[in-house]
Amino acid sequence: MVQQDDKKTAEKREREKKTVTLMMHIYCRGKHAATPRGTLCPSCQSLLDYALERLERCPRMAVKTFCSVCPIHCYSPERREEIRQAMRYAGPRMLFYHPLLTLHHMFLQFRYRHNP
């Protein structure tokens, strides 16, 4: 049972990493148009590296739904605002670029709101 929980947590962590990476690419492409497709500008790459490190070290990955509702704030206040802006921009656009991932995220939000 513990191995299965560890596997689920690892899968969840990888899905979160994939999601934040995709969202940062959408954000950077939209806000920093001079950046070549498939790459990130230095500031977005720095923010993505920071976010991925936080996800890797998250002590509540097994039980949390989203970083925004987590009682532990892993991000510094400045970085938290930066990632919030990127997520606000990229979130609505994810439906056009990655509809299945977006629907999965919306399902999790719906489930969390009705069973916190």
Side-chain angles (χ1 to χ4, degrees):
M1 184 69 155
V2 173
Q3 271 187 328
Q4 188 175 6
D5 287 346
D6 289 344
K7 184 178 178 185
K8 284 183 180 180
T9 302
E11 289 171 358
K12 183 178 180 182
R13 187 181 313 274
E14 289 307 309
R15 187 172 49 248
E16 292 270 335
K17 287 179 179 182
K18 178 182 176 183
T19 302
V20 75
T21 299
L22 292 170
M23 291 180 87
M24 284 305 301
H25 278 271
I26 291 169
Y27 175 76
C28 191
R29 187 172 45 233
K31 293 293 186 172
H32 310 127
T35 304
R37 189 175 188 90
T39 62
L40 297 174
C41 70
S43 64
C44 288
Q45 185 63 56
S46 172
L47 181 58
L48 176 60
D49 292 343
Y50 183 83
L52 294 176
E53 182 180 335
R54 296 299 176 200
L55 284 171
E56 190 61 41
R57 296 178 182 212
C58 179
R60 297 184 44 86
M61 183 58 69
V63 296
K64 77 172 188 166
T65 52
F66 305 107
C67 293
S68 61
V69 295
C70 187
I72 299 173
H73 295 295
C74 298
Y75 289 68
S76 69
E78 300 83 29
R79 290 296 203 169
R80 193 176 324 146
E81 184 54 35
E82 288 178 53
I83 199 76
R84 188 176 292 138
Q85 288 176 1
M87 298 299 113
R88 279 195 183 131
Y89 178 85
R93 290 159 178 83
M94 282 287 287
L95 189 58
F96 299 108
Y97 293 98
H98 305 282
L100 293 178
L101 195 59
T102 305
L103 291 173
H104 181 262
H105 185 79
M106 290 169 65
F107 170 74
L108 291 176
Q109 279 184 320
F110 177 79
R111 192 169 77 182
Y112 175 77
R113 286 186 182 147
H114 291 81
N115 296 319

